[in-house]
């Protein structure tokens, strides 16, 4: 199915983690595996800006888990997008062009959206593999 953008539709951009799916605990626990002293509050603070900048610049979270993406894919396999959000996305897509811009990799987002039956409602999905800066 080809997705068409019309000039009369306004664009709505979504983030993914923390907006469409709650992955905070999942991502925190993955990173805690290699950063034992990392607190949840400290981890949350890295998202005040771009998480990839935090990985480069912060002394505490010097690096992400080396297998982060594989573990993320496995652990988010059963996470669901709430029904109210699914209905909202479907309704919004009737009059708006929807996109996702995220620090998560595009394949992971696509897999979850396909599983949740929402992939066709988004015109474009731009993950960290496209650009690490939103």
């Amino acid at each position: 199915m080809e997705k068409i953008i019309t000039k009369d539709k306004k664009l709505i951009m979504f983030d993914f983690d923390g907006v469409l799916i709650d992955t905070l605990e999942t991502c925190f626990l993955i990173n805690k595996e290699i950063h034992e002293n990392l607190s949840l509050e400290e981890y949350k603070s890295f998202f005040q800006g771009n998480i990839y900048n935090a990985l480069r610049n912060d002394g505490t979270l010097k690096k992400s888990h080396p297998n982060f993406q594989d573990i993320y894919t496995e652990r988010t396999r059963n996470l669901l997008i709430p029904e109210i959000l699914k209905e909202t996305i479907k309704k919004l897509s009737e009059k708006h062009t929807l996109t996702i811009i995220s620090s998560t990799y595009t394949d992971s987002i696509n897999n979850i959206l396909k599983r949740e039956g929402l992939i066709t409602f988004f015109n474009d999905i731009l993950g960290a593999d496209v650009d690490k800066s939103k």
Side-chain angles (χ1 to χ4, degrees):
M1 177 173 137
E2 185 176 327
K3 298 175 185 179
I4 301 170
I5 299 175
T6 60
K7 291 183 181 185
D8 58 330
K9 281 188 166 187
K10 294 191 180 201
L11 174 66
I12 298 176
M13 295 185 292
F14 290 87
D15 192 356
F16 188 70
D17 293 276
V19 175
L20 297 182
I21 195 165
D22 186 2
T23 58
L24 176 63
E25 184 178 353
T26 300
C27 294
F28 168 66
L29 291 174
I30 294 169
N31 280 294
K32 191 154 175 70
E33 289 176 10
I34 63 167
H35 300 285
E36 296 169 4
N37 296 324
L38 183 66
S39 73
L40 181 58
E41 289 306 312
E42 185 177 27
Y43 184 68
K44 284 181 184 179
S45 75
F46 297 134
F47 294 93
Q48 298 298 324
N50 182 301
I51 185 64
Y52 293 104
N53 288 340
L55 290 171
R56 275 194 308 273
N57 300 328
D58 189 88
T60 306
L61 193 64
K62 294 181 175 120
K63 61 182 179 176
S64 184
H65 193 293
N67 299 318
F68 183 89
Q69 197 57 42
D70 293 334
I71 297 169
Y72 176 95
T73 299
E74 179 60 34
R75 293 188 187 170
T76 58
R77 193 174 312 279
N78 296 319
L79 294 180
L80 303 174
I81 296 174
E83 286 300 319
I84 188 90
L85 282 176
K86 288 181 180 182
E87 293 306 315
T88 301
I89 288 165
K90 291 172 186 175
K91 189 98 171 141
L92 286 171
S93 71
E94 294 171 6
K95 296 183 180 179
H96 300 84
T97 299
L98 307 181
T99 65
I100 293 175
I101 299 177
S102 177
S103 296
T104 298
Y105 282 82
T106 305
D107 285 348
S108 293
I109 298 168
N110 283 335
N111 290 338
I112 292 168
L113 292 176
K114 285 175 189 170
R115 183 193 72 218
E116 293 292 295
L118 295 174
I119 192 77
T120 60
F121 298 100
F122 290 92
N123 189 68
D124 211 356
I125 299 164
L126 305 170
D129 47 300
V130 175
D131 197 321
K132 293 200 185 313
S133 176
K134 296 181 217 177

